[in-house]
Amino acid sequence: MSTQVVSIDPMLCTGCRRCADVCPVDAIVGRRNEPQTIDASRCVLCGQCVLTCAAFMSPFDDGAELLPEMLRKRGLAEDDTAPLFAANFRIDRKKVAGMLTDPEKTTMVQCAPAVRVSIAEEFGKAPGTLSPGKLAASLRRLGFDYVYDTIFAADVTVMEESSELLQRMESGGTLPMFTSCCPGWVRHVETAWPDLIPHLSSCKSPQQMAGALFKSYGADQVGKTAGEIASVAVMPCTAKKGEAERPEMQNDGFANVDAVLTVTELAAMLKEKGIDLDSLPEEEFDAPLGLYSGAGTIFGASGGVMEAALRTAIAVTSGKDVDESGVAFVESEEEPGVFRASVEVAGKTVRGVIVSGLAHVAPVLEAVRSGNADFEFVEVMCCEGGCVAGGGQPKLLPGVDVADAVARRRKGLHDHDRELPVRAAHRNPAVKALYENFLQKPLGERSHKLLHTHYGKEAGRHE
Amino acid sequence: MHARLSPFILVSASKCIGCRVCELACSAAHQRGGVSVGSLQVPLSPRLYLTSVNNVRVPIGCRHCEDAPCAEVCPNNAIIHTTEGVQVEEDRCVGCKTCLAVCPVGAMEMAQVWKRGKPAMRRVVDPSAPGGVRYEPASLASKCDLCRGREGGPACVDACPEKALTLVDPIEVKRRRNFEAALALSRTYEEV
């Protein structure tokens, strides 16, 4: 697939430049009152422009008669009543619908943590309404053969990433280590800070780890081959569409993830089929790749990856098996969006930094570049607040308090973490079984092949 | 004749950036839904219109004229001047477009009207159909109603990121202008 993931329709753009105000990497180019374009060499595909844009095709506009054609070009039905906005992301609904009806394919779907605290908004519910059971049920109603969960893979990411951090600390590897879960962040390092690429963890993101496991371990479990599996991801994020297409994100010639739907795309597909999320029963995700802990759950909120990794790192190195790390990260007044704390792990001090929002990341990276970094582990989420605020999340109407909605979605994830019986990744029985029966150990040969990758300066792939 | 002049929404063209948030907020305020665009149940239909000419971008909407030509010419008495401004009674509108023709600012539109999630229908004579009539979605007169009944007033005013829209109460404006003039005059008098 080569169509641009995020774009601005010159037919609809009025040149108000509100998108430029929210772009964390100054990728929106154009003069006021004229249609804007996206500088592909800087754009990280985060979709914040898509969430902000209000320039839509009104039925009273000159050119409104072109609407059916414009809908078709965007991959939507001609009678779709959803408004068309200037800033938009690529719609992959048709591709997924094709997989669902392909008799040759066994479909496996994964759902990112931040989806279950936002999708109900598209059905009239308040922001932060937690609906994992209904989400699983809705995916089953759409026709997916196996309804799995990205959170399972987030738990695997904790295993791999915390091991990698400990290994880098023991062996004198490149520090500080940067998380690599957020594709917008990874892309920003590649495009704007390429000299810091070695700091990125070699872990694939949970989306990609899940996909790699679907087509190996998962395929074995259901008696299929990798080629017979169609792997679909439901994400709160537009950059995940780009991530899935990276050439590094495949094994044995098969892409780990074949198609990515955003929350809004999934909601639209459900409505098209007459599936009302609210009236569905609560159902479980399928085992084993849909079983998850509280640790993986909070990956959807900024700070969550760090907290999840600490829970396991503390347990593995000290034997103190905690539900919560107890580490409080503090934001300083001089550095908005940057949170710091230190913690003892294996007799060593690990100093962690959490950055919420790419717009706040530059001073932290300057410190790393100049050799003045006084920290070992950095978690960065491109969108302020984390994936709960991603560009694939429901687009909020004017007048709705965005910060409040994001806070409610975050709270939804933290509530979910607290109510789960298992709250640390290494205690997830499905993760234990995965290592016992398949991967052997974190950073092992199979993990390395399936779950790790390399990042590089491959800018410009966003045609 | 009403005792009070009708309020109306005044736009500052110098502040407007043409983002269309006003149109989006307006459309959403007139239909059912939740917090997100995807939760809206019917297509968007704004009641003010971002208009560009040369380098000017500004939304144009109803001024709630005191001697409203639309109300004057409506052959079916569907447009009436109320204490809440000039209002269209959709149930009486037949879509004749006379109001649209006479409105001095172009505030009137013929829009598809949705009621309880379904398009409002109109009866059309059809000799070929049983009973000689058929029903089809109606396009009816639609314009700014100052978000009648909305807590917090007009949604467009609330939503504008540039604060370019204001709900103007002409009586208040007159009173304020008079006070300002009086104070200015008093200062002039003291200085002289």
Side-chain angles (χ1 to χ4, degrees):
Chain A
M1 181 82 63
S2 63
T3 355
Q4 193 166 309
V5 173
V6 178
S7 52
I8 298 175
D9 187 338
M11 275 277 291
L12 299 180
C13 179
T14 63
C16 72
R17 288 189 52 80
R18 286 179 71 233
C19 51
D21 294 342
V22 297
C23 177
V25 293
D26 293 328
I28 311 282
V29 185
R31 283 192 291 201
R32 192 165 286 285
N33 296 339
E34 290 175 12
Q36 307 293 302
T37 53
I38 295 176
D39 177 354
S41 68
R42 308 170 73 89
C43 175
V44 295
L45 316 185
C46 71
Q48 291 301 309
C49 51
V50 178
L51 292 181
T52 299
C53 182
F56 66 103
M57 172 63 95
S58 152
F60 311 122
D61 285 346
D62 293 341
E65 68 282 1
L66 302 172
L67 191 61
E69 172 65 17
M70 293 168 81
L71 283 163
R72 202 169 50 237
K73 273 193 186 153
R74 291 223 189 151
L76 296 160
E78 282 184 24
D79 59 353
D80 198 315
T81 59
L84 276 195
F85 291 92
N88 66 95
F89 56 77
R90 193 187 65 216
I91 304 291
D92 291 313
R93 278 165 57 181
K94 261 190 196 154
K95 191 174 176 185
V96 174
M99 292 170 183
L100 286 168
T101 50
D102 184 347
E104 308 285 306
K105 293 285 183 190
T106 297
T107 50
M108 294 183 175
V109 66
Q110 58 169 308
C111 232
V115 177
R116 70 210 66 211
V117 288
S118 65
I119 189 162
E121 292 166 27
E122 294 282 83
F123 293 84
K125 296 286 179 194
T129 303
L130 188 56
S131 58
K134 289 176 188 293
L135 179 60
S138 74
L139 291 166
R140 216 160 266 139
R141 300 299 178 279
L142 263 190
F144 286 104
D145 297 316
Y146 295 92
V147 179
Y148 291 148
D149 208 301
T150 313
I151 306 182
F152 168 84
D155 281 340
V156 178
T157 306
V158 172
M159 303 297 288
E160 296 291 327
E161 200 163 278
S162 54
S163 303
E164 185 185 351
L165 176 65
L166 295 173
Q167 191 190 58
R168 283 194 192 204
M169 288 177 66
E170 278 160 22
S171 67
T174 307
L175 288 172
M177 187 175 86
F178 300 162
T179 53
S180 54
C181 303
C182 167
W185 153 239
V186 168
R187 204 180 152 78
H188 183 56
V189 175
E190 290 176 330
T191 53
W193 304 80
D195 50 312
L196 303 186
I197 290 170
H199 290 269
L200 284 167
S201 159
S202 66
C203 286
K204 288 180 182 174
S205 73
Q207 165 175 274
Q208 298 306 134
M209 284 198 186
L213 291 171
F214 289 177
K215 293 194 180 184
S216 53
Y217 184 64
D220 290 350
Q221 300 251 328
V222 301
K224 299 281 175 187
T225 62
E228 290 170 308
I229 307 288
S231 153
V232 177
V234 182
M235 293 284 140
C237 173
T238 45
K240 287 285 173 193
K241 287 178 184 270
E243 181 186 75
E245 287 162 13
R246 292 177 64 120
E248 305 89 340
M249 299 298 175
Q250 43 181 272
N251 290 99
D252 303 325
F254 295 105
N256 298 150
V257 175
D258 296 303
V260 178
L261 293 175
T262 62
V263 179
T264 48
E265 281 173 279
L266 173 62
M269 280 182 90
L270 294 173
K271 287 177 188 173
E272 194 180 51
K273 290 250 174 189
I275 301 167
D276 176 37
L277 188 85
D278 198 36
S279 54
L280 290 174
E282 303 277 339
E283 291 181 8
E284 299 289 322
F285 288 90
D286 287 320
L289 301 177
L291 302 177
Y292 59 84
S293 81
T297 305
I298 52 174
F299 265 55
S302 66
V305 179
M306 181 76 77
E307 166 65 20
L310 288 178
R311 288 180 193 175
T312 288
I314 289 170
V316 168
T317 56
S318 71
K320 206 172 85 185
D321 219 343
V322 289
D323 269 349
E324 290 179 27
S325 75
V327 183
F329 281 77
V330 180
E331 184 180 23
S332 79
E333 267 183 37
E334 302 84 65
E335 293 181 302
V338 181
F339 303 75
R340 294 166 187 268
S342 56
V343 60
E344 292 297 314
V345 176
K348 284 182 188 164
T349 304
V350 178
R351 291 161 298 181
V353 176
I354 295 165
V355 183
S356 175
L358 269 194
H360 306 301
V361 84
V364 173
L365 296 182
E366 282 296 354
V368 177
R369 183 178 271 174
S370 61
N372 294 324
D374 56 355
F375 42 85
E376 284 77 34
F377 191 27
V378 182
E379 178 210 294
V380 182
M381 295 266 183
C382 174
C383 299
E384 213 160 320
C387 315
V388 286
Q393 290 284 34
K395 183 183 171 94
L396 298 172
L397 286 164
V400 176
D401 186 337
V402 175
D404 176 66
V406 169
R408 285 166 188 266
R409 292 173 188 163
R410 286 176 61 93
K411 182 177 180 299
L413 284 181
H414 286 291
D415 289 348
H416 197 33
D417 165 31
R418 277 188 290 271
E419 75 189 18
L420 289 168
V422 176
R423 297 183 59 195
H426 63 280
R427 277 187 270 140
N428 177 344
V431 170
K432 280 189 196 170
L434 171 75
Y435 280 100
E436 275 161 24
N437 304 330
F438 187 67
L439 291 176
Q440 312 308 333
K441 59 173 185 176
L443 308 182
E445 193 187 333
R446 234 180 200 159
S447 293
H448 183 76
K449 177 172 172 270
L450 289 173
L451 309 181
H452 291 257
T453 185
H454 59 277
Y455 295 97
K457 193 173 183 312
E458 46 81 69
R461 289 184 64 253
H462 180 224
E463 296 111 275
Chain B
M1 177 66 194
H2 288 280
R4 282 181 76 89
L5 296 173
S6 297
F8 64 101
I9 290 160
L10 187 68
V11 190
S12 163
S14 63
K15 288 185 185 167
C16 177
I17 55 170
C19 67
R20 304 191 85 155
V21 163
C22 51
E23 287 188 87
L24 181 56
C26 170
S27 310
H30 288 90
Q31 55 160 290
R32 278 155 41 130
V35 293
S36 71
V37 172
S39 69
L40 298 176
Q41 294 170 5
V42 303
L44 295 180
S45 181
R47 293 165 181 233
L48 74 173
Y49 316 98
L50 180 75
T51 308
S52 339
V53 53
N54 302 328
N55 243 347
V56 176
R57 267 137 211 271
V58 67
I60 298 295
C62 178
R63 300 297 295 254
H64 295 269
C65 308
E66 297 314 310
D67 188 10
C70 56
E72 175 69 24
V73 298
C74 178
N76 228 24
N77 292 330
I79 304 175
I80 48 173
H81 210 141
T82 74
T83 50
E84 295 168 308
V86 178
Q87 302 290 354
V88 178
E89 297 297 326
E90 280 157 4
D91 292 340
R92 297 185 64 87
C93 175
V94 294
C96 74
K97 301 178 286 292
T98 316
C99 53
L100 189 149
V102 297
C103 175
V105 294
M108 198 65 78
E109 256 299 354
M110 292 296 129
Q112 199 177 340
V113 180
W114 295 70
K115 289 189 173 168
R116 289 174 287 279
K118 292 196 174 105
M121 304 301 277
R122 69 177 171 204
R123 220 170 76 123
V124 187
V125 175
D126 180 4
S128 68
V133 290
R134 63 188 161 85
Y135 292 85
E136 60 182 34
S139 280
L140 302 174
S142 153
K143 68 164 195 70
C144 164
D145 59 358
L146 295 171
C147 286
R148 189 159 46 158
R150 181 181 183 269
E151 214 176 302
C156 56
V157 175
D158 264 3
C160 178
E162 302 296 316
K163 306 249 179 294
L165 282 71
T166 328
L167 178 66
V168 175
D169 178 349
I171 296 163
E172 267 307 306
V173 170
K174 177 180 181 293
R175 189 174 294 140
R176 198 175 70 236
R177 291 278 191 269
N178 285 169
F179 284 150
E180 286 164 2
L183 289 170
L185 281 172
S186 71
R187 279 196 297 273
T188 313
Y189 184 73
E190 281 160 16
E191 280 161 22
V192 170

